[in-house]
Amino acid sequence: MRKALIVLFASVFIVAMIGCSSGKKGSSGESDGKITEITMISQGQWEKSGLLDVIAGFENKYPGIKVKVESYPFRQLFETIEVKLGSKSKDYDVITVDGPLVANYTVKGYLEPLESYISSSEYSSKWIESSINAGQYGGQLMAAPMNTSSQVLYYNKDIFAEKGVETPEFDIEKRWTWEQVVEAAKKLTYDTNGDGQSDVFGFSFDQVSRAYQTLALSESLGAKVIDDKGISTAGLINSDLSVKAASFYYDMFNTWKISPRVAPDVSKEYFSSGKVAMFVGGTWSTKDFLDAKINYGIAPHPYFAGEKVATPTGSWHLGINKYSEKKEAAAKFIEYFTIGEGARIWFDGNKDLPANIDILKQIESDAKFDEFPNNVYRIATYEAQNTAVSRPLTPGYLDWESLYNQAFDDIKNGTEPKKALDEAAVQMDRQLKKYESVVK
């Protein structure tokens, strides 16, 4: 009887242990039984442009992991990340990170280094160099690129034809210089109603006075705007070369008067309505201009004659919340999204320029990108791999950018360039000094 009880007890114990084992879930979510759910914080519009398709593909490949998305409008997204991660919340596992904020989030302790989960041998040949650089801080990969971005020169064919001005060419080898842009823009700026005020302007940036676009002027001249540690700008942001770039910007609005003094939120409308002949903007603007029924062409981003070709770049990255309890599952999703099949699904749905080299190679050879306006990706693909320059790597990027944008807005409105940059340098260094103790 006693032996029978022992055998019975042992059998029950073994069955119980088997049951526990089969139901156990690891952070990777790959074991049998229960599901691991990870939460991604995202921008609202992405759910309508491919994100849900990426998630569906991932969940099909990894049935043990489910991805929940919590979306916010652009500005609210940053605020929510600050509140949640600032309080060491475990609510999110995958964090969407605007490229220039990688350093800031790293020094605040928001991000988990990725190389414990994705080795450099996996990503070094898969992502373009500028995106890798943007995702690193302190010698560690902290965030993986969802995509990147580039800028091209759009031009209104009808305005060029009306004024008898030769148009820029699509050919990378025949890229216009900034000097050529100015020469043409002077002929394309004119008054249509005889009141002495220009109604059509020769040129405009999309993101007027913002670092993302205007830094290309400094970069083309070889100017450095911040030191390698990302905490000092004096003698750099206001160097002779930086002042030269800013003076060119000043002249566009105040000397040559070829550019309208408009805010970034209406600049695109000026091109769409035929009030601007040339417009530097992103690849994402092609559809908007088609919808506006503008007869437009596309050409490569300009540069200064005899100087370096430098083009704007950078976009969103994905990182792991330092406080997440499901880091392995989060890493699998990020790897799928940026290196695996998810990268192609994301491009097909979202249409933003890929940071994934394999997809860029496909764009170079796929015949569907021969035709206008999809051929914009041919230019952008070249720029991403050859001329793209990331924004400054600094833990105080938001402080720096705010002061930079204000300085260039003042320059646009008539402030003498050196004065504006000298004042900006003082304010920037004062703001960045608080990060001295945390720089790597």
Side-chain angles (χ1 to χ4, degrees), residues 155 172 194:
Y155 60 93
I172 289 286

Side-chain angles (χ1 to χ4, degrees), residues 125-366:
S125 63
K126 293 296 184 180
W127 304 330
I128 56 175
E129 184 179 1
S130 61
S131 289
I132 293 175
N133 292 340
Q136 292 179 329
Y137 186 69
Q140 296 187 90
L141 181 70
M142 305 305 297
M146 294 173 66
N147 45 258
T148 188
S149 63
S150 192
Q151 301 281 295
V152 296
L153 178 65
Y154 294 96
Y155 60 93
N156 186 311
K157 292 182 177 181
D158 293 339
I159 297 177
F160 271 79
E162 179 183 345
K163 294 299 179 181
V165 179
E166 183 180 355
T167 60
E169 296 189 44
F170 184 83
D171 191 348
I172 289 286
E173 298 299 322
K174 298 179 180 179
R175 183 192 305 268
W176 268 21
T177 63
W178 281 117
E179 290 83 357
Q180 286 176 288
V181 169
V182 171
E183 182 182 356
K186 289 176 179 178
K187 300 173 184 176
L188 299 167
T189 300
Y190 57 97
D191 171 19
T192 61
N193 55 24
D195 64 358
Q197 301 295 319
S198 296
D199 304 296
V200 177
F201 294 85
F203 176 83
S204 180
F205 285 104
D206 179 3
Q207 297 187 27
V208 181
S209 298
R210 290 181 180 171
Y212 171 73
Q213 280 193 323
T214 57
L215 274 170
L217 299 174
S218 302
E219 293 286 355
S220 182
L221 292 174
K224 191 173 181 179
V225 296
I226 196 167
D227 72 344
D228 292 338
K229 291 185 177 180
I231 57 171
S232 178
T233 67
L236 298 171
I237 191 71
N238 55 345
S239 69
D240 290 345
L241 288 177
S242 291
V243 171
K244 183 178 180 180
S247 296
F248 178 84
Y249 191 73
Y250 172 95
D251 287 339
M252 283 182 160
F253 298 92
N254 300 285
T255 304
W256 307 314
K257 298 182 180 179
I258 57 174
S259 297
R261 289 177 174 167
V262 296
D265 56 348
V266 297
S267 60
K268 187 181 291 188
E269 182 183 326
Y270 265 61
F271 185 78
S272 296
S273 60
K275 295 179 182 177
V276 163
M278 289 179 285
F279 180 86
V280 166
T283 55
W284 53 86
S285 294
T286 53
K287 184 179 185 304
D288 294 332
F289 296 152
L290 283 176
D291 292 343
K293 296 183 172 22
I294 291 292
N295 182 22
Y296 72 92
I298 300 167
H301 188 284
Y303 73 110
F304 286 112
E307 303 292 347
K308 172 184 176 183
V309 177
T311 58
T313 195
S315 191
W316 291 94
H317 285 58
L318 294 174
I320 299 175
N321 178 5
K322 185 77 172 180
Y323 312 109
S324 168
E325 295 180 335
K326 305 166 187 174
K327 293 185 176 69
E328 289 184 18
K332 287 185 181 298
F333 178 66
I334 291 173
E335 183 175 17
Y336 176 83
F337 201 129
T338 63
I339 295 176
E341 180 63 14
R344 184 193 60 77
I345 297 172
W346 179 239
F347 173 62
D348 288 345
N350 194 52
K351 304 302 183 187
D352 279 340
L353 185 66
N356 185 296
I357 293 173
D358 291 341
I359 304 175
L360 292 175
K361 296 300 182 186
Q362 290 175 18
I363 291 172
E364 290 175 343
S365 59
D366 192 331

Side-chain angles (χ1 to χ4, degrees), residues 397-413:
Y397 182 81
L398 289 179
D399 302 285
W400 179 90
E401 182 190 50
S402 176
L403 292 166
Y404 177 99
N405 292 355
Q406 184 59 59
F408 269 73
D409 209 45
D410 291 342
I411 291 167
K412 176 193 76 176
N413 292 324

